[in-house]
Amino acid sequence: MRCYWDEEDLWFYFELDTAGWVTRQVELQGPRLIPIAAACLVEWQQARDAGRLAAYESRFGFTAQSPVSEWEGHDPQPLTRREFEEVWDRARRLLAGQ
C-alpha cells in the first residue's frame, strides 16, 4: 500500500506481512519523488544485531515500528506487488549509490 503525508510532501510505500507489520518501506519526497528511505525489517534487525544499526539507518532509514492496525490519520491506497517492487528497486539503487 501507499500513503501520502502532505505536511512533508512524502509518499510512503509499504510492504506488509499477514499481521499488518511493515516488512519493507520506501519514502519518496517532493514533486521529484526523491528517495529518502528504503528499509527492510530483516536487514534492520540484522544490522542491529551486528552493531551496524547507525550505518544502516543513515543509508536506508527504518520501517514503521507498529502494525498498520494501530495507525491513525492515513489514507492507504492499494498497490500491486509489481508497483511496489518498481519503487523499491529504484529507491534502493539510488540510496545504495548504484
Side-chain angles (χ1 to χ4, degrees), residues 2-54:
R2 73 179 188 164
C3 302
Y4 182 69
W5 185 25
D6 62 348
E7 293 174 12
E8 297 290 329
D9 196 14
L10 280 174
W11 277 102
F12 293 90
Y13 289 75
F14 302 104
E15 175 187 68
L16 307 174
D17 67 13
T18 57
W21 288 88
V22 174
T23 56
R24 292 189 294 170
Q25 176 173 327
V26 175
E27 299 173 26
L28 305 176
Q29 188 170 43
R32 295 183 43 213
L33 301 175
I34 304 299
I36 60 171
C40 172
L41 180 59
V42 171
E43 292 175 356
W44 183 90
Q45 291 167 334
Q46 290 169 344
R48 178 197 62 203
D49 295 346
R52 295 180 284 111
L53 190 54

Side-chain angles (χ1 to χ4, degrees), residues 44-65:
W44 183 90
Q45 291 167 334
Q46 290 169 344
R48 178 197 62 203
D49 295 346
R52 295 180 284 111
L53 190 54
Y56 182 85
E57 286 184 349
S58 70
R59 174 166 273 178
F60 297 115
F62 53 89
T63 61
Q65 301 296 308

Side-chain angles (χ1 to χ4, degrees), residues 56-84:
Y56 182 85
E57 286 184 349
S58 70
R59 174 166 273 178
F60 297 115
F62 53 89
T63 61
Q65 301 296 308
S66 62
V68 173
S69 61
E70 296 178 10
W71 297 0
E72 294 181 18
H74 70 286
D75 183 23
Q77 300 173 6
L79 290 172
T80 65
R81 161 96 31 217
R82 182 179 182 171
E83 289 170 324
F84 180 86

